[in-house]
């Protein structure tokens, strides 16, 4: 009677939490075995004694696969604590990059599920495209073919607050391998020089590779559409491409990276604000050289570029 009442009281939450019911029954038998004979407990639950003793033996001396699973669960939990903004696929890729441990996506998902790991990053809703008002033609929408470095650079500005200070970060990213080629940070709202400074760095890089036909894609922001900005593009032969008005999905890769960067800066890197410029430089280096990317087959931008160079 005591055993049946115990099972009835715990089966409810057991099913609700997707807990293994048989596991629960074994644990109840083990707990009550000091008060009642094991044969009586097994008979009242409809369990063979041999099954209980086999479970008890495995509990004391788990199989090598169980031990390996436990070690991997601990490893995934450690990486999740360090990079809480990412899910099981990215964590698996990062572990493979750092330790050489290769596991399937299914196994990685299993480890994260056991550890209760979930990505802490925010998700944004899809926005309806705006009207096609163009300042410069949208070459990406027209089907621009990208099969090499510096063929298409995407740019955007993102803003964040740290210790009450407002910062604007302008990025220039190679759409071919998601490598951040240039960036500029300012604590001044609406600072046009973040765009210009980043562009100057990009132009210097472009001068080293005059053989590439480069397209720069951006939104229709006031600085991107300004005469001074486009005059600079013309001096180095960079072709300007623009998204439709009110249509961030036309520059989806850059918008996505903006979201990930802000999530990782605060969730994974824990910006201190003592020297934001140096902290940003360290993060950009991590992004280009140590951060595996799903779109690159979980290679880092640097690894992808070096692989292309060897080919």
């Amino acid at each position: 009677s005591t055993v049946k009442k115990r099972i009835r009281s715990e089966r409810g939450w057991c099913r609700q939490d997707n807990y293994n019911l048989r596991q629960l029954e074994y644990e109840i038998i083990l707990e009550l075995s000091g008060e009642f004979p094991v044969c009586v407990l097994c008979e009242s639950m409809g369990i063979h004694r041999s099954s209980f003793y086999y479970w008890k033996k495995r509990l004391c001396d788990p199989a090598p696969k169980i031990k390996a699973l436990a070690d991997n669960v601990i490893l995934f939990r450690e990486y999740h604590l360090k990079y809480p903004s990412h899910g099981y696929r990215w964590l698996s890729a990062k572990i493979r990059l750092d330790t050489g441990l290769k596991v399937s996506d299914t196994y990685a998902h299993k480890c994260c599920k056991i550890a209760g790991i979930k990505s802490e990053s925010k998700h944004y809703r899809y926005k309806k495209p705006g009207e096609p008002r163009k300042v410069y033609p949208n070459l990406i929408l027209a089907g621009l073919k990208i099969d090499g470095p510096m063929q298409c650079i995407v740019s955007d500005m993102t803003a964040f607050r740290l210790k009450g200070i407002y910062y604007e970060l302008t990025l220039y990213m190679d759409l071919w391998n998601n490598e951040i080629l240039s960036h500029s940070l300012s604590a001044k709202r609406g600072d046009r020089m973040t765009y210009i400074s980043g562009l100057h760095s990009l132009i210097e890089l472009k001068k080293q590779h005059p053989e590439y036909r480069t397209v720069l894609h951006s939104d229709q922001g006031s600085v991107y559409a300004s005469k001074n900005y486009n005059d600079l593009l013309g001096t180095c032969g960079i072709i300007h491409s623009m998204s439709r008005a009110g249509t961030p999905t036309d520059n989806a890769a850059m918008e996505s990276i903006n979201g990930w960067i802000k999530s990782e800066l605060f969730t994974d890197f824990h910006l201190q604000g003592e020297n934001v410029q140096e902290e940003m430089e360290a993060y950009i280096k991590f992004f280009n050289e140590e951060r595996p990317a799903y779109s690159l087959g979980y290679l880092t931008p640097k690894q992808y570029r070096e692989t292309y160079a060897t080919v």
Side-chain angles (χ1 to χ4, degrees), residues 177-194:
N177 69 335
N178 290 357
E179 184 173 7
I180 297 177
L181 302 178
S182 175
H183 71 281
S184 183
L185 182 69
S186 175
K188 180 181 177 182
R189 183 183 291 272
D191 188 359
R192 300 169 63 91
M193 291 309 298
T194 57

Side-chain angles (χ1 to χ4, degrees), residues 57-73:
K57 180 181 178 182
R58 288 188 61 189
L59 189 65
C60 299
D61 185 20
K65 285 186 177 180
I66 303 298
K67 292 180 180 178
L69 177 62
D71 292 339
N72 290 331
V73 168

